[in-house]
Amino acid sequence: MIINKKKLIYTWENLLKNKKKKIKKLIYKINKKRLNEKIFPKKKEVFNVFRFTKFKNIKVVILGQDPYVKKNQAHGLAFSVKSKNNFPPSLKNIFKEIKSDINKNIKFKSGYLKKWADQGVFLLNSILTVSYKIPGSHINFGWEEITDYVIYLINLYHFGVIFLLWGNFAKKKKKFINLNKNYVFCASHPSPLSAYKSFFGCKHFSKVNKILIHQKQEIIDWSID
């Protein structure tokens, strides 16, 4: 399937217009909580996933659950951490699988995944904020409505996008994806608690590039440096 991305002239701002009021209410609620507790990511970084990857450039969607809960880690991209941070366990396992799948000699000196985002890998968390040291603390705040709609839009307007759904939480989003026009690969979550079930050995990274070659698109350079 050959994709003409030039036809996709839509922008995130236009596509999310009808969710603008909902998003404003969510941000107001979260900013009130920021007065009394630590919330991640920072205000200016909550929507980085939309800033770093334009809608028309999406090739791959990797879906996470919610941001990292420790200081100076989350910055608006799923599974990514700011430069000079230690790799969280899930990210360590992602890098381990890439080395096994693509090239064992790839070096990962940073966990900052903006290089992937710049190439069209949309690193979306289903929930865009979290309270310090409380995983899942913003579940049912309303983010799911927004991010489910984002997945719906990607599926609606794109052909040949590859969705990587890791873990049961992500797999629930499969219902928004038309398998006759886009691709879905599922595996267990890369967390140490579940990576051994089906994440290790899933070879999702090489599978993505094989599809992109078939589509006559640039492959993803999964290295970071």
Side-chain angles (χ1 to χ4, degrees), residues 82-205:
K82 293 181 179 181
S83 298
K84 299 181 180 179
N85 272 261
N86 293 329
F87 303 157
S90 292
L91 186 57
K92 277 186 182 179
N93 286 338
I94 289 170
F95 288 163
K96 184 177 180 180
E97 175 61 22
I98 290 172
K99 293 177 78 168
S100 171
D101 182 18
I102 301 288
N103 184 345
K104 66 180 179 180
N105 294 317
I106 293 178
K107 304 295 183 185
F108 294 106
K109 295 179 181 178
S110 169
Y112 186 57
L113 304 183
K114 186 175 181 294
K115 182 178 177 181
W116 295 3
D118 291 340
Q119 296 176 83
V121 181
F122 191 61
L123 295 159
L124 179 68
N125 276 317
S126 294
I127 301 151
L128 299 188
T129 55
V130 73
S131 295
Y132 178 48
K133 289 189 176 179
I134 311 177
S137 49
H138 293 190
I139 289 175
N140 296 325
F141 271 32
W143 283 124
E144 293 92 333
E145 177 185 333
I146 306 301
T147 56
D148 284 356
Y149 185 63
V150 167
I151 296 167
Y152 163 81
L153 289 171
I154 295 169
N155 175 73
L156 179 66
Y157 290 111
H158 279 277
F159 290 84
V161 164
I162 307 149
F163 291 82
L164 304 183
L165 307 182
W166 301 333
N168 292 332
F169 193 91
K171 290 174 187 176
K172 291 177 183 178
K173 310 301 182 184
K174 189 175 179 180
K175 63 186 176 184
F176 299 110
I177 304 163
N178 183 343
L179 301 183
N180 292 318
K181 56 186 293 198
N182 292 302
Y183 299 86
V184 173
F185 293 110
C186 296
S188 59
H189 194 276
S191 160
L193 296 174
S194 58
Y196 66 92
K197 292 180 180 178
S198 61
F199 181 77
F200 288 141
C202 68
K203 298 187 179 298
H204 283 180
F205 305 96

